[in-house]
Amino acid sequence: MSAAVPRTFRRESRLFLWVALFLILFLNLLTLFFFRRAVDWGSESIERRASEILRRLPIDQPGAGGGGSLGRVALERDIVYVATYDARGRRVRTLGGEIDAPDALTTAVPAPGKIAIAWRSSPILVVATTPVPGGYLSIAVDPGPGAALRPLARSLTLVVPIAGAALVVLAGFYLRSLLSPYDRLLAAADRAPLPVPAVPGTHAEPGDEREFLIERFESTIAALKEKERELKARADDLETGARLLSRNLPTGVLSVAADETVVELNESGQEILKLSGNLHGRRYQEAFETIPEFRDSIGEVLSERKPVGRREIRWVSAGESRSFGVTVTPAEGADGRFLGVLALFTDLTEMRKLEARMALTRHLSELGQVSAGAAHEFRNAAAAIDGFADLALRSPGRAAEHLKAIRREAQEMSRVTSDFLLFARPEKFARERVDLDGVASAAVAETETAFPGVVVRLHGPFPAVSGSEVLLRRALVNLLRNAVEATPPARRGEPEAIRLDGSSRDGEILMAVADRGEGVEASRRDEIFLPFYSTKPRGSGFGLAIVARIAELHGGTVEVGARKDGGALFTLRLPEAAPSLRHPPASPAPSPG
């Protein structure tokens, strides 16, 4: 604490505590003194009465007369017994009520003309003895209830001073700790802001610690109120800015509370989702019933409290196919408390329409190139067939050999025609749940059958996707066939020469096919997916082009890279299935009976 903090109250407090403590001790000792004096006065009164009774009795021989006087004394209310003893202190005679005198003298032997007094504890009696001719005369007097205070007075005489001394020592040790919270309060008040003076430039120093604390407390309250006004103004500004930003954002913003009710949906979000009216307070399941994929994404984050990455939602509104990209994240407070979910989404409908038109334009352009390539292939095959037919006519003896060549060229024309039709006009399909585990296993089995001795290593999870099982199997077969043909025959038997690995990352399903070939140069990686581009002696150039086309139809991509330990790595990327398609519907329970 600084020197400016007053110390008067602490000094007054210490002085008051010490004075109060010593005053209490003084009053206790004074009370004990008077109590002890009262007990002693009572004891002395009983002893004087016993002495007066002995002085009034006639002094006879212990065994002689005087029995009448002794009998009258023994009949008094507070006399317990009267006894005579011989010169050796042995009892000669006893008179009394319920208690007999002891057989031997219980007091000290008194000197001639003196009286000896003794107190017995059980029962409490005052015994007085005086010498008589030939022996001693003793009487026992009942001191009454007040005699019980004698041992208590002796105990208090010892205990009270010791307790007072202990209290002084403890007060000295703990007085500092008693004032420690107050010292901490003063130290905190010393760091509080100074009060604003009524006259600028002047500040009166408080003369007392209590005034100091009150001033600092009032200045702290005033500062807190000022900060509260500032924070409230900032909060109002931030709330206004947030509302303006949310209202004018082209992106949809949705917040759902932990109790599954809609908190807010901005105007852009209502426009994107084609919803109207106030959704505040409604349950999200009811509000977004017409958009099941969006509803399921919100429910997934509410239940698992894990963010859902960028996901594209497609649905039909008023007969029009629409789509938007959404990211859903859990919202937590500063204390880690779960508040609900926040969804940000962007309308992709027009972008997808533009992409479709661009894809159509690109596809028509590619189709023109493919048509030219197909015409070239057909022209070559037709020329070969015509040449072999002419040779067969000229050399009838070798007609069978030329007919085989003609058949081989016709089969090649049929394969090119099938690939051309698949690339130019792929079959239309209704999206359904496709189990990639079964697709991958079937593609591996078909490849191992076509290439005896080749073993394809299958590894990793293959989650379900939405698409066509036939087209996806054709894409994997083409990639595996390409990997086997790119791998030299001498290396096809190596362990894991051909691999098919499945994985899931950031909302995508990845299927990677690796080989042990020479790899693909970086400059050629964009060309190998074009139709009729092939480095193989008898390749048509349609295999990888068909894979790219199938990936595009499923909203995915295919890319090529280098394998870490040598070779090429083709990766087919597909979007994850919607939550409603990830798990097959449960089989209905059999009807009873």
Side-chain angles (χ1 to χ4, degrees):
M1 288 181 290
S2 65
V5 179
R7 301 175 182 272
T8 55
F9 183 72
R10 279 172 292 175
R11 286 195 296 265
E12 292 174 0
S13 299
R14 290 189 176 92
L15 179 61
F16 171 78
L17 290 175
W18 282 115
V19 170
L21 178 62
F22 284 115
L23 181 60
I24 293 172
L25 292 177
F26 172 74
L27 292 176
N28 286 338
L29 292 175
L30 186 63
T31 302
L32 177 63
F33 172 75
F34 285 110
F35 175 70
R36 184 63 185 269
R37 290 296 301 161
V39 172
D40 291 344
W41 179 84
S43 300
E44 291 172 357
S45 297
I46 298 299
E47 292 176 359
R48 283 196 301 270
R49 171 168 170 72
S51 299
E52 289 296 328
I53 293 174
L54 285 178
R55 290 191 183 96
R56 292 199 310 266
L57 288 175
I59 302 175
D60 297 327
Q61 293 289 337
S69 299
L70 295 178
R72 287 193 299 271
V73 171
L75 292 176
E76 293 187 16
R77 185 176 58 182
D78 58 344
I79 299 301
V80 178
Y81 65 82
V82 178
T84 58
Y85 293 87
D86 59 17
R88 289 180 293 181
R90 292 179 298 180
R91 187 182 69 183
V92 176
R93 185 182 180 187
T94 179
L95 299 172
E98 298 178 356
I99 300 177
D100 293 333
D103 295 334
L105 192 65
T106 57
T107 63
V109 177
K114 301 294 183 180
I115 297 176
I117 302 295
W119 285 78
R120 289 180 57 184
S121 59
S122 182
I124 300 177
L125 300 174
V126 177
V127 180
T129 303
T130 186
V132 295
Y136 303 96
L137 177 63
S138 292
I139 64 171
V141 181
D142 183 3
L149 297 177
R150 283 173 55 85
L152 178 62
R154 288 195 296 269
S155 300
L156 291 178
T157 303
L158 178 64
V159 171
V160 170
I162 294 177
L167 182 60
V168 171
V169 173
L170 290 176
F173 275 115
Y174 292 103
L175 185 58
R176 181 181 298 274
S177 63
L178 290 175
L179 292 176
S180 177
Y182 181 73
D183 291 335
R184 292 173 58 188
L185 180 61
L186 283 176
D190 189 28
R191 295 191 296 269
L194 293 173
V196 179
V199 180
T202 63
H203 178 71
E205 292 293 336
D208 187 79
E209 292 180 15
R210 287 163 291 191
E211 296 178 3
F212 173 80
L213 283 175
I214 293 173
E215 287 183 359
R216 294 302 174 91
F217 180 75
E218 291 177 347
S219 64
T220 302
I221 293 298
L224 289 176
K225 289 184 177 179
E226 182 63 27
K227 290 295 183 183
E228 181 183 5
R229 286 193 293 268
E230 293 180 3
L231 291 176
K232 188 176 183 303
R234 292 181 182 178
D236 293 341
D237 293 342
L238 288 175
E239 183 178 1
T240 303
R243 288 180 178 176
L244 289 174
L245 180 62
S246 174
R247 187 178 300 116
N248 297 303
L249 271 177
T251 301
V253 180
L254 168 69
S255 56
V256 178
D259 61 355
E260 301 184 351
T261 58
V262 177
V263 177
E264 184 178 2
L265 177 64
N266 68 344
E267 295 179 2
S268 297
Q270 291 184 346
E271 177 64 25
I272 294 173
L273 301 179
K274 299 301 179 183
L275 298 175
S276 60
N278 186 12
L279 301 181
H280 178 74
R282 294 178 59 185
R283 297 185 66 82
Y284 79 93
Q285 298 94 331
E286 175 189 352
F288 309 114
E289 183 179 4
T290 58
I291 315 175
E293 291 188 29
F294 187 43
R295 178 196 60 202
D296 295 342
S297 298
I298 296 173
E300 180 181 348
V301 178
L302 280 172
S303 60
E304 300 180 6
R305 299 187 181 182
K306 295 181 180 179
V308 171
R310 187 71 174 178
R311 179 179 293 170
E312 185 170 348
I313 306 296
R314 295 183 177 89
W315 91 107
V316 178
S317 175
E320 179 186 6
S321 177
R322 302 189 61 83
S323 64
F324 62 90
V326 62
T327 300
V328 188
T329 58
E332 296 182 352
D335 55 354
R337 182 167 46 92
F338 179 69
L339 302 179
V341 301
L342 180 67
L344 302 177
F345 49 96
T346 306
D347 192 1
L348 302 177
T349 303
E350 297 302 325
M351 184 182 300
R352 291 294 178 257
K353 290 179 180 179
L354 179 61
E355 289 177 352
R357 288 194 294 268
M358 293 178 61
L360 178 60
T361 302
R362 184 177 64 253
H363 184 61
L364 292 175
S365 175
E366 292 175 350
L367 188 58
Q369 298 177 3
V370 170
S371 300
H376 177 72
E377 292 289 334
F378 291 156
R379 186 185 303 112
N380 291 340
I385 291 174
D386 182 66
F388 284 121
D390 183 61
L391 291 175
L393 291 174
R394 293 181 183 182
S395 304
R398 301 181 59 187
E401 178 182 350
H402 298 317
L403 286 175
K404 290 181 180 179
I406 292 173
R407 184 180 182 184
R408 184 171 60 251
E409 292 296 334
Q411 290 175 346
E412 183 65 20
M413 289 180 66
S414 176
R415 185 176 66 83
V416 171
T417 302
S418 299
D419 290 343
F420 173 76
L421 292 176
L422 180 60
F423 179 83
R425 191 182 59 191
E427 60 180 271
K428 295 182 179 180
F429 62 91
R431 289 183 175 272
E432 58 181 2
R433 181 183 181 277
V434 178
D435 183 7
L436 287 183
D437 278 328
V439 171
S441 300
V444 169
E446 183 176 342
T447 303
E448 291 178 346
T449 302
F451 298 92
V454 173
V455 177
V456 179
R457 167 68 167 158
L458 187 63
H459 181 268
F462 293 88
V465 297
S466 174
S468 167
E469 180 177 353
V470 174
L471 293 181
L472 290 175
R473 183 170 67 249
R474 175 64 182 275
L476 286 181
V477 168
N478 283 7
L479 288 176
L480 290 173
R481 180 183 295 273
N482 180 77
V484 174
E485 292 175 350
T487 302
R491 303 195 61 183
R492 294 177 184 175
E494 295 181 3
E496 299 189 354
I498 312 298
R499 287 177 59 99
L500 173 56
D501 297 315
S503 61
S504 175
R505 184 174 66 241
D506 297 335
E508 285 186 325
I509 306 301
L510 281 67
M511 292 181 289
V513 177
D515 60 48
R516 291 291 188 186
E518 298 179 355
V520 181
E521 298 179 0
S523 59
R524 293 164 43 202
R525 290 178 183 175
D526 293 333
E527 302 175 356
I528 60 175
F529 296 106
L530 297 177
F532 293 104
Y533 182 88
S534 177
T535 58
K536 303 171 186 176
R538 293 188 57 83
S540 65
F542 267 114
L544 295 179
I546 291 174
V547 173
R549 181 63 174 154
I550 294 175
E552 181 182 356
L553 291 173
H554 286 78
T557 59
V558 62
E559 58 189 32
V560 62
R563 190 176 182 178
K564 291 182 179 180
D565 47 358
L569 181 68
F570 287 82
T571 303
L572 178 61
R573 297 177 179 268
L574 300 174
E576 282 187 354
S580 58
L581 294 176
R582 291 181 188 173
H583 304 285
S587 300
S591 302

